[in-house]
Amino acid sequence: MPKQGTAKVAIIGAGYVGSTTAFSLLFSGVVGEIVLVDINRAKAQGEAMDLSHAATLIRPLKILSGEPRDCAGADILIFTAGANQRPGESRLDLVHRNARLVQEALPEFIHYCPDALILMVTNPVDILTYVAWKVSHLPPSRVLGSGTVLDSARFRHLLSLQVGVDPRNIHAYVIGEHGDTEVPVFSLANIAGIWLDEFPLTKGTVDRDLFKADISHQVREAAYEIIQRKGFTSYGVALALTRITEAILRDERRVLTISSVIHDLYDINYEVALSLPCVIGREGRISVLPLPLAPGEKLALHRSAETLREVIETLKI
């Protein structure tokens, strides 16, 4: 394990998400070197220069742009390259464009970084996590996707507004696809140890079923709403990636809803990548937690998995 602040992280793609993630990592204290790689080399160079100047105001940190060979020795490869989601476009609509990119680009990075953990971000992240796993020939524990880490944060944020409690005191997860079939797990949500169904809601909220339906809708639509207004998302996902990176490099054994390839878990008897609460540490995914889901939630998770499997089958990889 690298010493605190000495790890090397390579970010593939210097667009909104990649560059914002690099900026967020400046403050983490766990990274000593960041390499930005982009097909637009001038863009990567400019971002590296700007970030290097910013790092001077924080702490010594090596930031450079480069090519796959410059990523040699990286502890984590963060893959953000790909076509952006357009207004009105679902994450699954991106699949064929971005799957080809992963198949073409990732092997060269793996060649130079055979020991790195892979952290996929490009959408549709669950499908591309599966593609990256196939392309890399690494065990599922070492190929992670950002999954529903941000969705779970949005879930806790919206719950906090309704119950009037700091979201850091709320435990609640979104599982399944990072997308339209994702599953907010209300049955296990709790506020400071009190089950959500037993916690008093804000004045004026009388129908808990409508309350849950509204929260679910807002969580699913959040990214679309942001993209419609500003054209892209960046801050939330960048901080989610920083949290995942910290959990890995500090070997925190932190529970995060990352996406990874599973088989014969939750009665899903085929290989598919989706999000579940996982213990994350230096070796990547250490374990997948067996949530005691309510029957309706388990059924919704199976529908989500089946949706992803149908798309994977169209890729023929």
Side-chain angles (χ1 to χ4, degrees):
M1 183 188 304
K3 293 181 180 179
Q4 179 82 345
T6 64
K8 180 175 180 177
V9 172
I11 300 176
I12 306 163
Y16 296 120
V17 172
S19 57
T20 308
T21 299
F23 182 70
S24 177
L25 287 172
L26 297 186
F27 300 90
S28 69
V30 298
V31 177
E33 182 176 351
I34 298 173
V35 182
L36 289 170
V37 182
D38 197 281
I39 191 170
N40 183 341
R41 294 186 180 184
K43 175 72 161 61
Q45 290 169 348
E47 295 289 0
M49 291 171 63
D50 199 3
L51 288 162
S52 295
H53 303 160
T56 303
L57 301 170
I58 302 171
R59 61 185 180 85
L61 191 67
K62 185 177 180 181
I63 305 170
L64 63 150
S65 62
E67 300 177 1
R69 64 173 176 267
D70 298 305
C71 301
D75 297 283
I76 302 175
L77 290 174
I78 302 178
F79 198 103
T80 74
N84 291 325
Q85 190 174 348
R86 299 163 182 160
E89 184 177 42
S90 77
R91 295 178 180 95
L92 292 182
D93 290 334
L94 295 169
V95 65
H96 291 284
R97 283 182 286 161
N98 285 340
R100 283 194 298 271
L101 173 64
V102 173
Q103 289 175 288
E104 293 168 2
L106 189 58
E108 188 174 6
F109 289 93
I110 297 296
H111 172 74
Y112 288 106
C113 310
D115 299 320
L117 290 173
I118 299 174
L119 179 50
M120 298 300 298
V121 190
T122 309
N123 277 317
V125 68
D126 304 291
I127 305 296
L128 298 187
T129 298
Y130 181 91
V131 173
W133 171 66
K134 280 287 192 179
V135 168
S136 68
H137 304 292
L138 294 172
S141 61
R142 292 181 56 196
V143 183
L144 313 179
S146 53
T148 58
V149 174
L150 178 54
D151 306 78
S152 295
R154 289 167 173 157
F155 188 27
R156 293 194 300 273
H157 166 73
L158 291 167
L159 289 174
S160 75
L161 296 179
Q162 288 292 331
V163 301
V165 173
D166 189 321
R168 291 172 295 182
N169 294 118
I170 298 174
H171 289 276
Y173 300 117
V174 175
I175 61 174
E177 178 201 358
H178 171 57
D180 296 340
T181 66
E182 64 188 24
V183 184
V185 182
F186 285 97
S187 70
L188 299 176
N190 75 79
I191 299 96
I194 303 172
W195 296 117
L196 176 63
D197 283 341
E198 299 172 3
F199 199 92
L201 303 181
T202 54
K203 189 175 181 180
T205 305
V206 293
D207 191 314
R208 285 184 182 264
D209 289 336
L210 287 177
F211 154 76
K212 292 176 182 179
D214 182 53
I215 292 289
S216 297
H217 176 76
Q218 289 187 64
V219 172
R220 290 191 183 96
E221 294 297 314
Y224 298 130
E225 294 282 348
I226 294 168
I227 291 169
Q228 184 179 26
R229 287 164 172 78
K230 61 176 275 189
F232 59 92
T233 63
S234 56
Y235 302 123
V237 67
L239 280 171
L241 294 169
T242 298
R243 290 293 172 264
I244 298 170
T245 301
E246 290 171 340
I248 293 168
L249 296 178
R250 290 178 178 149
D251 197 23
E252 290 181 344
R253 309 297 173 103
R254 183 170 181 164
V255 176
L256 294 167
T257 52
I258 56 91
S259 182
S260 61
V261 175
I262 65 164
H263 180 257
D264 283 338
L265 291 173
Y266 287 81
D267 294 328
I268 298 170
N269 58 6
Y270 47 84
E271 292 172 341
V272 65
L274 47 68
S275 290
L276 293 165
C278 298
V279 179
I280 303 299
R282 188 62 186 87
E283 301 306 314
R285 186 191 75 185
I286 297 168
S287 62
V288 182
L289 300 183
L291 295 180
L293 299 175
E297 292 165 346
K298 188 172 183 179
L299 181 61
L301 177 62
H302 284 195
R303 284 197 297 263
S304 187
E306 187 60 34
T307 297
L308 292 168
R309 181 172 76 157
E310 290 172 358
V311 176
I312 287 170
E313 288 176 348
T314 70
L315 298 177
K316 296 180 173 55
I317 57 174

